[in-house]
Structures are given as C-alpha cells and as structure tokens.
Amino acid sequence: IEVKAGDVTLDDTLDILDVITLNKAILGKENLTDMQMNSADVNKDGIPDAEDSLNVMKYIVGLTGSLS
C-alpha cells in the first residue's frame, strides 16, 4: 500500500485532520503506526516533528506546491 506524504490519517485525503493527528503524536497524546509515521515524516529526516506538521499545513493552505 502506497500512502501520500502527509496523509497521517491514511484516508487518502490531505486535510486539517492530518495536521491534528500529527500534532497529537508529537505531543505524545496519540501513537502512530509505522505506516502513519512514514507518511508523517514528509521531510524524510527520520522523525515526524513540528517541521513536518508545518509543511503539511502549508501544503493544505496552498503556500507550497509539494511536500518534498
């Protein structure tokens, strides 16, 4: 199964729920599966973090054209 970068909820849609889920995981309030972790790490630095969350948000609101 191939997942889109940033699709943390794995619902084939990039939206605010992905950012919320990622932020909860960053704060330790939610555990992500390996597949979700891979999708959440949009900058591929090895760990989903606030920079990834910001990149997903920028993509959703149209401030950037890609998540790479």
Side-chain angles (χ1 to χ4, degrees), residues 10-36:
L10 305 177
D11 62 358
D12 206 31
T13 304
L14 284 175
D15 57 22
I16 192 64
L17 292 177
D18 296 299
V19 176
I20 292 168
T21 303
L22 176 51
N23 288 343
K24 283 181 175 180
I26 291 167
L27 294 171
K29 305 285 184 188
E30 189 161 324
N31 293 320
L32 301 180
T33 66
D34 288 343
M35 191 177 286
Q36 286 176 298

Side-chain angles (χ1 to χ4, degrees), residues 1 7 11 17 25 34 39 43 47 50 53 57 62 65:
I1 299 173
D7 182 16
D11 62 358
L17 292 177
D34 288 343
S39 177
N43 64 6
I47 187 161
S53 178
M57 180 60 79

Side-chain angles (χ1 to χ4, degrees), residues 42-64:
V42 296
N43 64 6
K44 300 300 178 201
D45 67 354
I47 187 161
D49 56 21
E51 185 177 343
D52 297 302
S53 178
L54 181 61
N55 287 339
V56 174
M57 180 60 79
K58 284 180 178 179
Y59 180 80
I60 291 169
V61 299
L63 292 177
T64 185

